[in-house]
Amino acid sequence: MFDAPITPFIAALPKAELHMHLEGSLEPETIMELARRNGVRIPYASATELRAAYDFTDLQSFLDLFYLGLTVLRTGEDFYAMTKAYLDRAAQDNVRHAEVFISPQAHLRRGIAIAPLMDNILQAFDDVVAERGMTGGVIVGIQRQFDEEDALSMLNTLQPWRDRIIGLGTGGPEKGNRPAKFRRAYAKARHDLGWRTTIHAGEEGGADFVCEALDILQVDRIDHGVQAEADPDLMRRLADTGMPLTVCPCSNIMLRVFPTMQAHNIRRLHEAGLCITVNSDDPSYFGGYMNENFAAIQQALGFSDAELWQLARNGFTSAFMAEADRDRHLAELDKITP
Ligand code: ADE
Ligand code: ZN
């Protein structure tokens, strides 16, 4: 689907991935293998059949498969293997820093114990830090289709890992689930837990969702945010404040937010002075990891290497990371001249 050439420049560009759902990195082959091993029923006969179902009409049609696919995860080893596989795959794309969303509510509701889940995911991060010097961590994602009490209960459950979690985010069906629904959860994350915050807003919801996320939740980043373009005042505000948007080009085409990559507004957002980053969202479902996303926008929208370099730089400057790590990554980026 996304087969634009990955140029040597794109391959060599150091990258930060800020918007990726760990459960969205499970490849169909892994889902089928885990289903067999863990005795979980998946209504598809083969990985080929499952992959053929990745023909989405909107966000909800994808979420139905995403929430089905993650039910094959049962043991701590499953969570370790998924995390390590993603980080190793990201490293092939020269991702040097990865912040990944997890969806704890989806697992807690299935009776999965939280300790093996968190400890194994974090162990995989520790291992890639040691092996590769990669940095990153976990952002816990609220599922917005559930009520705020459920989100607050998840935050309590995660209290023992408070210092190992870098942020709070929110995903799930946007329509009908406005950002303000999670006002108390975001206040708790910021004030009590000391976490950074972000939220999916303006993917299928309107520019007003982005405004609400800024005004009421006071987030540090916006995930997607592409619908902001409909509101000129908001566009000016985003540019003036340098508020990062974590844009996911291949995802937006697969979920029909834009009909084609040529019709994507990422170039206009960038040219309007917004802080735009490039990300893969759910790479196994959307046909592209980081390099494919960079290559797709270069081919369809004519981004120069210098412009791609700037988007990669935005990833590092927008990351929730220690300043010493940021300086180290930016120094590596400076060695690559467009
Ligand atoms: N969960 C996983 N991917 C998502 C997306 N693109 N939007 C909302 N929720 C998600
Ligand atoms: Zn997402």
Side-chain angles (χ1 to χ4, degrees), residues 19-24 59 62-63 66-67 101 103 142-145 170-174 200-201 203-204 223-224 248 251-252 255 280-282 285-286:
H19 182 163
M20 205 292 299
H21 303 262
L22 200 44
E23 299 91 343
L59 175 57
F62 154 70
L63 290 172
F66 172 84
Y67 293 130
F101 293 109
S103 303
I142 293 173
Q143 284 177 248
R144 68 202 313 153
Q145 66 270 41
T170 295
E174 207 175 338
H200 285 52
E203 178 187 22
E204 280 196 344
D223 297 312
H224 294 295
C248 307
S251 163
N252 291 155
L255 300 188
S280 72
D281 206 3
D282 299 278
Y285 289 89
F286 299 148

